[in-house]
Amino acid sequence: MINNLDISKAMTIKLDDVLPEYPVFKENVRRAPKRELTLNEREIKLALKNALRYVPESLHEKLAPEFLDELMTRGRIYGYRFMPKERIYGKPIDEYKGKCVEGKAFQVMIDNNLNHEVALYPYELVTYGETGQVCQNWMQYQLLKKYLEELTDEQTLAVMSGHPLGLFASHKTSPRVLVTNGLMIGMFDNPHDWAKATAMGCSSYGQMTAGGWMYIGPQGIVHGTYNTLINAGRKELGIPDDKDLAGHLFITSGLGGMSGAQPKAVEIANGVGIIAEVDYSRIETRLKQGWVSKVTDNLEEAFNTAKDYMNKKQTISIAYHGNIVDLLEYAVDNNIHIDLLSDQTSCHVPYDGGYCPKGLTFSERTELLNTDRDKFAELVNKTLAEHFRAVKTLVDRGTYFFDYGNAFMKAVFDSGVTEIAKNGVDTSEGFIFPSYVEDIMGPMLFDYGYGPFRWVCLSGKPEDLRKTDHAAMSVINPERRGQDRDNYIWIRDAEKNKLVVGTQARILYQDALGRRDIALKFNEMVRNGEIGPVMIGRDHHDTGGTDSPFRETSNIYDGSNVTADMAVHCFAGNAARGMSLVALHNGGGVGVSKSINGGFGMVLDGSERVDEILYKSIPWDTMVGVSRRSWARNEHSIETTVEYNKQFAGRDHITIPFVASDDLINKTLDNYNKN
Ligand SMILES: NC(=O)c1ccc[n+]([C@@H]2O[C@H](COP(=O)([O-])OP(=O)(O)OC[C@H]3O[C@@H](n4cnc5c(N)ncnc54)[C@H](O)[C@@H]3O)[C@@H](O)[C@H]2O)c1
């Protein structure tokens, strides 16, 4: 019978046989609330055994009670003792140990995701979106680091829900890391079974770029939010293409990981924003960054200031410290007109702390979550119903409301308000309000292939970022389309807008060939020694990569919005073409079982090998989504694929749908029914 000594001897990559000091927790660091824990005694024992798998037997006796205490008080075993004692942040790549550039680059990315200035609950390894983790626990973090130090350019590291399964031989042109997070077998693919598996240490919520290690701070979403707002203004408020949101009011909620981008975006779009946030620490973070310009807990003051700035046609973002529902009810009661309205509370996990009930302060919400989850759920449902009423009244009075990809409308429906469903019964026909993807981002951006391309200058040097900004700008033709002009202006002003939080990173919406050309240009600059190595990637929230009927694929109307083939193909195709890191997750921004989403990371080391990979993989990564949208008969995607087939004749070829006329379909059915 093999014993633990034999097992220890069988591994060269493992945690040390030394008990780390217990960490000192800083008071002012946000902590995750207790997570759902419904394990029976057998499962609790399993959870303990599972966590102890990571550590040598000599430490088991000491750690077992500690891990059990974490499980019972926090709902998860985080292994706090294994948390590094020094500050975690994305250091310049040369400061990491490693046998290949990718191994070092991924360490930069992981550490950036856990930087206290970047992460939402850094002690619980949560980067953003209330529950989005880099990996499940600190033992995994330590082990991942060790594997990445050993990884060579002829191996691939398999990572399953944060767990490094091992290093296996592959090719120089294979991915160096394959990541999956939270994938479940169909019949268990629901939040409850997933939470059980996670509490037992067998699954992880990677959100999108948290578990795919490509998070770049809230900047990642500022550009998308800016695009959404400015295009919502054009579409709904009649703002011309060359004008901005001056004089218009946008109201929303959330100043968290992603939602914190909203005040910055509204200022870049030159509008006036009021953003409700219940957690003062989040307001403080955005205030310190300069992303919010004023704070108040007085609703009259908030609206008076907004009015003043709207009259002056000047921009301001105001954080309202309080509940979004109080703010909206004030607007309803005082007949205040709101132009654009949304919400970005973490409604993908409303019962896990993502949505704060009315009448509770933020600390009362945390306390109630810890003591009485049923009561908490009851209050969430009541508040969601009130939230819906206020939104409905405002919409009836002329406000444009859009769901902002946080599953708000699904949460309202789940709370018992079936009136929010289009057919009043179930969600199969969608909701009575539009989602931003259906109305704006889908038809105006994703259908052409425009999506959130991003990069990180791994040297950590601001001058590298400046050089890449200029290089990217030189690739864009602002005369081609309105979208190109917006992107050109975005990148031209990016440095001035002080968007960097954490590593030297940038986001820039681009279409398939724009992304390819920028990536090739950067690789050439690395080759010429003008800049250090660069990691490119994207948000999973994109044209391709993500199947999510309540968000990314909500403007797919051919019935295929309930399928996940595209996300899996995107992942597999990126792996086959040699992207450095490929990731596939369950859930993302809308919650477990509501989406399958994927992303990639590609390290530009200046080599010709990388040029080759970029030529083939970058167009695929985007065009898989455009092709699928085209097949669903989305008009701009059809235009884009027709053009692509011409340009790539003899290399790539996309199947394009013949469009049957509605008249013919109706006539055929009428005739059938008559006979
Ligand atoms: N639209 C997109 O492109 C996009 C992208 C990423 C994430 N999301 C989704 O948006 C949501 C927010 O993401 P995040 O990373 O900012 O999450 P987060 O949890 O960091 O932030 C949400 C914030 O909402 C606040 N909040 C909760 N209930 C409130 C209430 N009733 N009134 C006022 N404030 C309240 C919380 O205190 C928190 O700070 C998530 O559901 C996420 O999945 C959308």
Side-chain angles (χ1 to χ4, degrees), residues 280 283-284 287 292-298 301 317-321:
Y280 197 76
I283 295 180
E284 262 181 331
L287 203 58
V292 150
S293 305
K294 181 182 168 69
V295 184
T296 177
D297 57 7
N298 180 317
E301 188 189 348
S317 60
I318 304 160
Y320 163 64
H321 181 213

Coordinates of all heavy atoms in Angstrom, one line a residue, residues 280 283-284 287 292-298 301 317-321:
Y280 N -19.5 51.7 1.4 CA -18.7 53.0 1.3 C -17.3 52.7 0.9 O -16.6 53.5 0.2 CB -18.7 53.7 2.7 CG -18.3 55.2 2.4 CD1 -19.2 56.1 1.8 CD2 -17.0 55.6 2.7 CE1 -18.7 57.4 1.6 CE2 -16.6 56.9 2.5 CZ -17.5 57.8 1.9 OH -17.0 59.0 1.6
I283 N -16.9 53.1 -2.7 CA -16.9 54.5 -3.1 C -15.5 55.1 -2.9 O -15.0 55.8 -3.8 CB -18.0 55.3 -2.3 CG1 -19.4 54.7 -2.6 CG2 -17.9 56.8 -2.6 CD1 -20.5 55.4 -1.9
E284 N -15.0 54.8 -1.7 CA -13.7 55.4 -1.4 C -12.6 55.0 -2.4 O -11.8 55.8 -2.9 CB -13.2 54.9 0.0 CG -13.5 55.8 1.1 CD -13.0 55.3 2.4 OE1 -13.0 54.1 2.6 OE2 -12.7 56.1 3.2
L287 N -13.1 57.0 -5.5 CA -12.8 58.4 -5.2 C -11.3 58.6 -5.3 O -10.8 59.6 -5.9 CB -13.4 58.7 -3.9 CG -13.7 60.2 -3.6 CD1 -14.7 60.7 -4.6 CD2 -14.3 60.3 -2.2
V292 N -14.6 58.8 -9.6 CA -15.8 59.4 -9.1 C -15.5 60.9 -8.7 O -14.5 61.1 -8.1 CB -16.4 58.6 -8.0 CG1 -17.2 59.5 -7.0 CG2 -17.3 57.5 -8.5
S293 N -16.4 61.8 -9.0 CA -16.0 63.2 -8.7 C -16.6 63.8 -7.4 O -16.2 64.7 -6.9 CB -16.4 64.1 -9.9 OG -15.8 63.6 -11.0
K294 N -17.8 63.2 -7.0 CA -18.5 63.7 -5.8 C -19.2 62.6 -5.1 O -19.7 61.6 -5.8 CB -19.5 64.8 -6.3 CG -20.2 65.4 -5.2 CD -21.2 66.5 -5.7 CE -22.2 66.9 -4.6 NZ -21.6 67.7 -3.6
V295 N -19.3 62.7 -3.8 CA -20.0 61.7 -3.0 C -21.1 62.4 -2.2 O -20.8 63.4 -1.6 CB -19.1 60.9 -2.0 CG1 -19.9 59.8 -1.3 CG2 -17.9 60.4 -2.8
T296 N -22.2 61.8 -2.0 CA -23.2 62.3 -1.1 C -24.2 61.2 -0.7 O -24.3 60.2 -1.4 CB -24.1 63.4 -1.8 OG1 -25.1 63.8 -0.9 CG2 -24.8 63.0 -3.1
D297 N -24.7 61.3 0.5 CA -25.8 60.4 0.9 C -27.1 61.1 1.0 O -28.1 60.6 1.5 CB -25.4 59.7 2.2 CG -25.2 60.6 3.3 OD1 -25.5 61.9 3.1 OD2 -24.8 60.2 4.4
N298 N -27.2 62.3 0.3 CA -28.4 63.1 0.3 C -28.9 63.1 -1.1 O -28.3 63.6 -2.0 CB -28.0 64.5 0.8 CG -29.2 65.4 0.9 OD1 -30.0 65.4 0.0 ND2 -29.2 66.2 1.9
E301 N -29.5 66.6 -2.8 CA -28.2 67.1 -3.2 C -27.7 66.5 -4.5 O -27.2 67.1 -5.4 CB -27.2 67.0 -2.1 CG -25.9 67.7 -2.3 CD -24.8 67.4 -1.3 OE1 -25.1 66.7 -0.3 OE2 -23.6 67.8 -1.6
S317 N -19.6 62.8 -12.3 CA -20.1 61.5 -11.8 C -20.3 61.6 -10.3 O -19.3 62.0 -9.6 CB -19.2 60.4 -12.2 OG -17.9 60.6 -11.6
I318 N -21.5 61.3 -9.8 CA -21.8 61.5 -8.4 C -22.1 60.1 -7.8 O -22.9 59.3 -8.3 CB -23.1 62.3 -8.3 CG1 -22.9 63.7 -9.0 CG2 -23.4 62.5 -6.8 CD1 -24.2 64.4 -9.3
A319 N -21.4 59.8 -6.7 CA -21.7 58.5 -6.1 C -22.7 58.8 -5.0 O -22.5 59.7 -4.1 CB -20.4 57.9 -5.4
Y320 N -23.8 58.1 -5.0 CA -24.8 58.2 -4.0 C -24.6 57.0 -3.0 O -24.7 55.9 -3.4 CB -26.2 58.2 -4.6 CG -27.3 57.9 -3.5 CD1 -27.5 58.8 -2.5 CD2 -28.1 56.7 -3.6 CE1 -28.5 58.5 -1.5 CE2 -29.0 56.4 -2.6 CZ -29.2 57.3 -1.5 OH -30.1 57.1 -0.5
H321 N -24.3 57.3 -1.8 CA -24.0 56.3 -0.8 C -25.4 55.8 -0.3 O -26.0 56.4 0.6 CB -23.1 56.7 0.3 CG -22.9 55.6 1.3 ND1 -22.7 55.9 2.6 CD2 -22.8 54.3 1.1 CE1 -22.5 54.7 3.3 NE2 -22.5 53.7 2.4

